[in-house]
Amino acid sequence: MEKADRRSLTHWGLLVGTLAAMLVLVVCLVGEKKYETTTPKTTLQLRKLLRRDPRTLCQGMNILKIPSSRRNIARPPNPGFNMVTKNSGRRIVARTQHRIVTMLKTPRQITLDNGLIQLIVSRPSGDVVGIKYKRSDNLLEPNNLRNNRGYWDVVWNKPGDNIYYVDKLQATRSRVIMATEDQIEISFVKTYNVSQQRGAPEVPLNVDKRYIMRRGRSGFYAYAIFECLEGWPEVKIDQVRMVYKLQKDKFQYMALSDTRQTFMPRANDRKHGQQLAYPEAVRLTKPSNQAFKGQVDDKYQYSMEDKDNKVHGWISTDHSVGFWMITPSDEFRSAGPMKQGLTSHVGPTTLSMFVSTHYAGKRAGIELKKGEAWKKVFGPVFVYLNSALRSKNTTGTLWNDAKEQMIEEVKRWPYNFTQSKDLPSSDQRGSICGRLIVHDRYMNESLLSESSAYVGLAAPGEVGSWQTESKGYQFWIRADKQSYFLIKDVRPGNYSLYAWVPGIVGDYKYGADITIKPGSKINLGNLTYEPPRNGPTLWEIGIPDRSAAEFYVPDPYPTLMNKLYKNNHSDKFRQYGLWKRYEELYPHHDLIYTIGINDYRYDWFYAHVTRNIGKQKYVGTTWQIRFKLNNVMSQGNYTLQLALASATSSEIQVRFNNRSIAPPHFSTGLIGGDNAIARHGIHGLYWFFSINVPSSLLNEGNNTIYLTQSRGGAPFRGVMYDYIRLEGPSIRHADT
C-alpha cells in the first residue's frame, strides 16, 4: 500500500511538474487578454530563440510569478521588448528583463554598464574611448589616441578668413544629469572663454555633450546642445558631426542600404594606393586583399540623401557583431530632406553628419553674425550594437535586425526620456495638416496626382530657402496620393511652410508664416500651388524631379571601378571619372540634341562639363538644342523653363539662333558650389529660371538654342540639368 501511495505520489508529482513546466512559458498575446499553451518543444525553441536573437543577451530564464493571475511568464533579458516566434500555428511571446544600469567614475573616465554593453567616456573631455560588447574589450580602435576614437568635431572659420579650424569640442567639466536603475545620463560641457587671447583658436560656442544608457538597450544615445551667447564673435560653421573609428582588424563589411553593402578595403590599402584627381579618390594598387586591386575607393561614393539615411554601419564577420548609427529623425539635420551627406567609409569609420556643406556649398553652413544668440540640439541618435550566430547569411541577419531597430527608434520619436529642457516631448509639440493641390491648366489632372508632394516646415525665408537653411529645425513629410499631409511633433517656433512636387517644376511656399505652440493643431485646409507656367508645352527634355538620374550616365572605366556599383544600375552615377567620358563621346564638337529625334535617356549627357584642350587647360562648352516651329506667334512671348539639379562655379548663358551674340539673351550669372560632379552626386542644390523669349528671337522652321557653360579653368566646373521646357504663348496656335 505504501509503495502504491509512493507511486501515486510520484505520478502526481511528475504530472504537477510537467504542468508547471508547461506553465512556465505561458505567454499572453500582445495587447490581448489571452494566453497560449506551451510545450517542452516550444520551450526549447524559445530558449534557442533567446540565445540567438541579436538584440538580447540571454542570461538565463528568470521565472517571475504574477500573483494576480497565478501564471508564470518567462522573462529573458530586455524589458519592454516582445519577442515573437511561431510553433504549430501558435504565437510564443516572451518578455524580458535585464540588469540595472550602473556607473563607475574614476578621475580619467566614466563607465556606464547595463549588462549588454559598457560605454567608457573620457573625463572631463567627453570622448568615447571604449565600447565593450560581447567578448570584445573595445570595438573602437585602441591604437588611436583617446580623443580619436569616438568624438564630436566642428569645422569652422572666422568670416573673411580663409583659414579653417577643426575643434574637437574637448569638455572641461562633467556631471551626472540622471542616475537611476533604469537610466543614466551624463554631461560633458565645453565653455567658451570670451577673454581668451592666446593659444589655439577656439570656436565661440558652449557645447554640452550628453550620453544616455538605458536598461535593456543594446546601445547608447548621444546628443549635444550647441549655444552661442549674445555678444560673442561672429563665426561660420561648415561641419558638425559625430565620429566613431572602429577596430580596423575586426570590421570589414559595410552596409548602407539593402543594395549598398559589401566587404571593404582597409585604411592602409588607401595609403599605398594611387591618388586620383583629388585626395579622397584613391585607386588601390597594393591592397592586402587582391580582390580590391585596381578598384577605386572614395568616401563620397557612399553618400546618401538625409531622407534615406536612417541606419548605416559596419559588421565584423569574424565575430558576428554589428555597429550601427541610427538616426530616428531629420529635424536637427541641415538643409532639408534632399541634402546629401557622408555615412560610413573606409577606416572603418561611422559618421553622424548634422551640418555639412557637401553637395550644397558654403550657403548650407551656419553663419552667426556678431552678437547673434543661437541655440540648437543635435540628436539624439542611437548607437546600436547587435550580434548573431555565424551562418551563411550573418550579414543579412544583422542588417535586417538593425533595420528593425531603426523602425522602433523612429516610432519612439520624439524621445520622452532625455533630461534636457531643450528637447521637448511629444505633448510639448504641435502639428499642422492640410492638402496641397497642384493646379496647372496645361496638364492633365490625372498626372498631377501621380506623385506625392514633399511638404515641410523650416525657418521663415524666401521660396526654396529651406535647402540651405541650417540654423533651425526642419520637419518634412510626404503627402499621400490624395495630396493630404500631416506634420506631427513639431517643435514650438515660427516657420514657413514649403513644398515641392516630383514631376512639377518650381517651389511652393505658403503665404503667411506659421507659429507652432505646445499642443497646437493647425489645419490649413486646401492649399493651391500654381507652378511656373506661361503657355502650352512645345517640347521638353528630362523629368522635373531635381535629379539628373534620367539622363545618360556612361559606363565607368574598367580600371577605375568601385565593384559595389558594378551591377547596380540605379547607382551607376557613383562611379569615379564619369565626367571624363564626355570628351570621348564628343571628341570634335559638343553635344547637339534634336527634338523629336534624340532621346534624353541616351543622348543627353548627365553633366554639362568643361573640356580639356591640352596641358590640363579646361574651357567652357556649348550645347545645342535644335527644334522646328511650324509658325511663330507674333502676339505674346514664348518661355524657356530651365531647371538645374546642380551647379559648381558655373554660368549658363542662353542664346537663341545666334551663338555669338553678346551679351547673351539670358545668363544665370556665376552660381553654385555643391561640387556634385566630383563627389558622385546626381544632384546638388536646385536652381530654377523662367526665361522670357520674345517671338522675334524665333524662326518659322529650324531653330537652335545654345546653352553655354562659360566658366572654365577646372574639370569639375559644370551643371547638371534637371528639366528644360519650351512653352508657347498662352494664345493657342498650330504648334499646341
Side-chain angles (χ1 to χ4, degrees):
M1 183 67 179
E2 291 179 357
K3 290 182 179 180
D5 290 340
R6 284 197 295 272
R7 284 196 299 271
S8 178
L9 290 173
T10 300
H11 174 75
W12 282 104
L14 290 173
L15 180 60
V16 171
T18 301
L19 290 173
M22 293 175 66
L23 288 172
V24 164
L25 295 178
V26 172
V27 183
C28 63
L29 290 173
V30 179
E32 298 182 16
K33 296 182 179 180
K34 60 183 180 181
Y35 298 86
E36 298 287 356
T37 304
T38 62
T39 66
K41 181 178 180 181
T42 60
T43 301
L44 179 61
Q45 287 185 340
L46 183 56
R47 287 182 183 275
K48 290 181 178 179
L49 172 68
L50 296 174
R51 290 192 184 99
R52 72 171 181 263
D53 189 272
R55 284 167 292 194
T56 62
L57 176 64
C58 186
Q59 295 181 335
M61 302 285 287
N62 300 320
I63 310 304
L64 304 180
K65 290 201 171 184
I66 305 176
S68 60
S69 63
R70 298 187 180 277
R71 290 183 171 90
N72 296 328
I73 296 180
R75 294 185 182 273
N78 199 354
F81 174 70
N82 294 322
M83 301 173 58
V84 182
T85 186
K86 292 185 178 180
N87 180 58
S88 302
R90 294 186 175 90
R91 286 163 51 88
I92 305 171
V93 184
R95 291 193 175 185
T96 62
Q97 72 170 9
H98 206 278
R99 284 172 39 186
I100 64 174
V101 186
T102 61
M103 175 173 56
L104 176 63
K105 297 171 67 175
T106 70
R108 293 195 68 201
Q109 61 194 36
I110 298 177
T111 301
L112 305 183
D113 188 346
N114 66 358
L116 294 173
I117 73 164
Q118 287 186 19
L119 175 67
I120 305 167
V121 187
S122 62
R123 185 180 181 195
S125 58
D127 299 314
V128 177
V129 298
I131 299 174
K132 294 184 178 182
Y133 179 67
K134 295 296 184 179
R135 293 178 295 276
S136 173
D137 288 336
N138 196 351
L139 298 182
L140 304 181
E141 180 52 60
N143 293 322
N144 286 5
L145 296 176
R146 286 168 63 88
N147 69 347
N148 192 34
R149 301 176 190 175
Y151 58 90
W152 290 74
D153 69 15
V154 169
V155 176
W156 67 283
N157 76 321
K158 303 172 183 178
D161 191 344
N162 291 326
I163 301 175
Y164 286 82
Y165 306 98
V166 178
D167 193 324
K168 284 197 170 181
L169 306 178
Q170 299 292 283
T172 55
R173 58 188 174 94
S174 64
R175 60 189 176 124
V176 178
I177 302 296
M178 174 187 186
T180 69
E181 293 182 348
D182 295 319
Q183 177 175 316
I184 295 177
E185 180 170 340
I186 52 179
S187 164
F188 300 85
V189 177
K190 169 203 171 298
T191 304
Y192 175 63
N193 186 352
V194 181
S195 61
Q196 180 181 358
Q197 300 294 329
R198 298 178 181 178
E202 178 186 359
V203 62
L205 295 172
N206 288 341
V207 179
D208 185 353
K209 300 183 291 186
R210 297 199 180 188
Y211 303 94
I212 300 173
M213 181 168 286
R214 306 195 73 206
R215 188 172 183 172
R217 310 299 293 170
S218 185
F220 61 92
Y221 297 86
Y223 68 101
I225 306 165
F226 283 49
E227 185 174 25
C228 181
L229 298 182
E230 186 176 352
W232 283 5
E234 57 185 341
V235 61
K236 287 186 176 181
I237 300 172
D238 279 6
Q239 179 174 278
V240 178
R241 65 177 187 171
M242 187 167 56
V243 184
Y244 291 93
K245 297 183 176 179
L246 308 181
Q247 275 209 36
K248 59 186 178 183
D249 294 330
K250 286 187 177 181
F251 291 90
Q252 316 89 14
Y253 190 90
M254 186 182 74
L256 311 179
S257 69
D258 289 335
T259 59
R260 300 173 68 191
Q261 46 184 281
T262 185
F263 285 96
M264 295 290 287
R266 301 188 176 213
N268 281 338
D269 297 338
R270 287 180 51 87
K271 290 181 181 179
H272 299 123
Q274 172 194 359
Q275 180 182 312
L276 300 175
Y278 44 87
E280 292 85 355
V282 173
R283 185 171 181 265
L284 307 177
T285 56
K286 299 178 181 179
S288 53
N289 184 340
Q290 290 301 302
F292 297 120
K293 188 172 183 179
Q295 179 172 319
V296 171
D297 178 78
D298 181 348
K299 66 181 182 180
Y300 293 113
Q301 292 178 316
Y302 315 120
S303 297
M304 190 182 302
E305 291 179 351
D306 283 349
K307 65 182 177 61
D308 302 320
N309 184 5
K310 299 294 184 185
V311 56
H312 62 87
W314 289 84
I315 291 173
S316 171
T317 54
D318 292 339
H319 300 83
S320 301
V321 167
F323 183 99
W324 308 101
M325 180 64 67
I326 294 178
T327 306
S329 171
D330 286 336
E331 69 177 52
F332 41 77
R333 283 173 167 161
S334 62
M338 307 303 292
K339 173 70 171 64
Q340 298 173 89
L342 299 174
T343 56
S344 292
H345 59 77
V346 167
T349 301
T350 296
L351 303 173
S352 182
M353 300 296 298
F354 300 103
V355 176
S356 81
T357 56
H358 299 144
Y359 303 97
K362 299 297 183 182
R363 296 171 60 199
I366 296 173
E367 182 174 357
L368 302 177
K369 302 296 184 182
K370 186 175 181 179
E372 180 181 357
W374 172 76
K375 194 174 192 180
K376 186 173 182 178
V377 181
F378 297 105
V381 296
F382 185 45
V383 178
Y384 177 58
L385 308 175
N386 62 0
S387 64
L389 295 178
R390 290 191 185 183
S391 68
K392 293 181 179 179
N393 191 34
T394 298
T395 56
T397 300
L398 292 171
W399 167 248
N400 289 331
D401 175 75
K403 288 196 299 180
E404 291 179 12
Q405 186 65 44
M406 175 270 292
I407 293 171
E408 290 184 23
E409 298 300 327
V410 170
K411 289 179 179 178
R412 292 190 182 103
W413 187 268
Y415 296 139
N416 61 3
F417 54 80
T418 55
Q419 297 303 302
S420 171
K421 60 180 177 56
D422 297 304
L423 279 167
S425 57
S426 184
D427 60 351
Q428 298 172 318
R429 298 177 176 228
S431 66
I432 186 168
C433 66
R435 186 186 188 195
L436 182 67
I437 302 171
V438 178
H439 176 66
D440 186 331
R441 66 186 186 277
Y442 290 100
M443 290 187 69
N444 189 314
E445 291 297 325
S446 63
L447 297 177
L448 299 180
S449 62
E450 287 185 357
S451 188
S452 301
Y454 288 89
V455 185
L457 293 174
E462 300 298 323
V463 173
S465 61
W466 54 269
Q467 65 175 344
T468 56
E469 207 290 310
S470 300
K471 287 184 184 178
Y473 302 91
Q474 297 200 25
F475 303 84
W476 288 85
I477 55 92
R478 197 91 188 260
D480 63 21
K481 293 298 183 182
Q482 286 73 45
S483 303
Y484 290 98
F485 63 88
L486 170 61
I487 307 176
K488 300 186 296 183
D489 296 318
V490 182
R491 283 170 164 267
N494 295 322
Y495 302 92
S496 288
L497 181 83
Y498 304 95
W500 68 277
V501 185
I504 303 295
V505 296
D507 280 279
Y508 171 81
K509 180 191 172 186
Y510 183 63
D513 289 344
I514 295 168
T515 300
I516 299 293
K517 298 179 180 179
S520 63
K521 296 181 179 180
I522 299 174
N523 188 338
L524 297 179
N526 289 337
L527 308 176
T528 300
Y529 173 44
E530 295 187 0
R533 168 74 76 171
N534 290 320
T537 299
L538 301 183
W539 51 258
E540 58 187 349
I541 300 173
I543 302 170
D545 58 359
R546 301 180 180 234
S547 165
E550 70 270 26
F551 298 125
Y552 178 69
V553 178
D555 291 331
Y557 292 96
T559 57
L560 295 173
M561 290 184 64
N562 186 318
K563 294 180 181 179
L564 175 60
Y565 304 115
K566 182 177 181 180
N567 298 314
N568 187 344
H569 180 76
S570 62
D571 284 312
K572 187 166 73 168
F573 63 85
R574 300 185 189 277
Q575 295 281 14
Y576 175 85
L578 300 182
W579 59 87
K580 294 183 179 181
R581 289 291 197 190
Y582 176 76
E583 294 176 3
E584 298 174 3
L585 290 169
Y586 304 95
H588 305 299
H589 60 80
D590 289 321
L591 183 148
I592 299 174
Y593 186 93
T594 302
I595 300 296
I597 296 177
N598 293 119
D599 186 330
Y600 63 77
R601 295 173 297 174
Y602 311 107
D603 303 318
W604 188 272
F605 199 72
Y606 81 103
H608 190 161
V609 292
T610 56
R611 180 185 293 275
N612 184 358
I613 60 174
K615 298 182 180 181
Q616 300 302 305
K617 183 178 180 180
Y618 295 89
V619 297
T621 53
T622 298
W623 290 10
Q624 299 180 36
I625 304 174
R626 296 178 177 178
F627 61 98
K628 290 184 177 181
L629 292 177
N630 293 333
N631 56 58
V632 176
M633 297 293 295
S634 59
Q635 297 181 355
N637 291 332
Y638 292 72
T639 305
L640 185 71
Q641 307 288 12
L642 177 65
L644 304 179
S646 166
T648 303
S649 300
S650 299
E651 178 184 1
I652 295 296
Q653 298 176 351
V654 184
R655 295 175 173 88
F656 299 90
N657 292 316
N658 187 335
R659 181 170 184 162
S660 59
I661 189 171
H665 295 119
F666 173 83
S667 173
T668 62
L670 181 63
I671 58 173
D674 55 46
N675 211 18
I677 295 173
R679 289 173 173 164
H680 323 289
I682 202 63
H683 72 86
L685 294 186
Y686 178 74
W687 301 82
F688 180 76
F689 304 95
S690 189
I691 304 169
N692 180 55
V693 186
S695 59
S696 59
L697 298 179
L698 300 176
N699 303 321
E700 289 190 3
N702 295 327
N703 290 267
T704 302
I705 295 177
Y706 298 96
L707 301 174
T708 300
Q709 199 298 96
S710 61
R711 305 287 177 142
F716 304 121
R717 288 186 171 179
V719 304
M720 296 182 191
Y721 294 98
D722 170 41
Y723 177 71
I724 304 174
R725 182 174 74 212
L726 182 65
E727 298 172 0
S730 58
I731 302 173
R732 291 185 176 274
H733 58 86
D735 285 326
T736 64

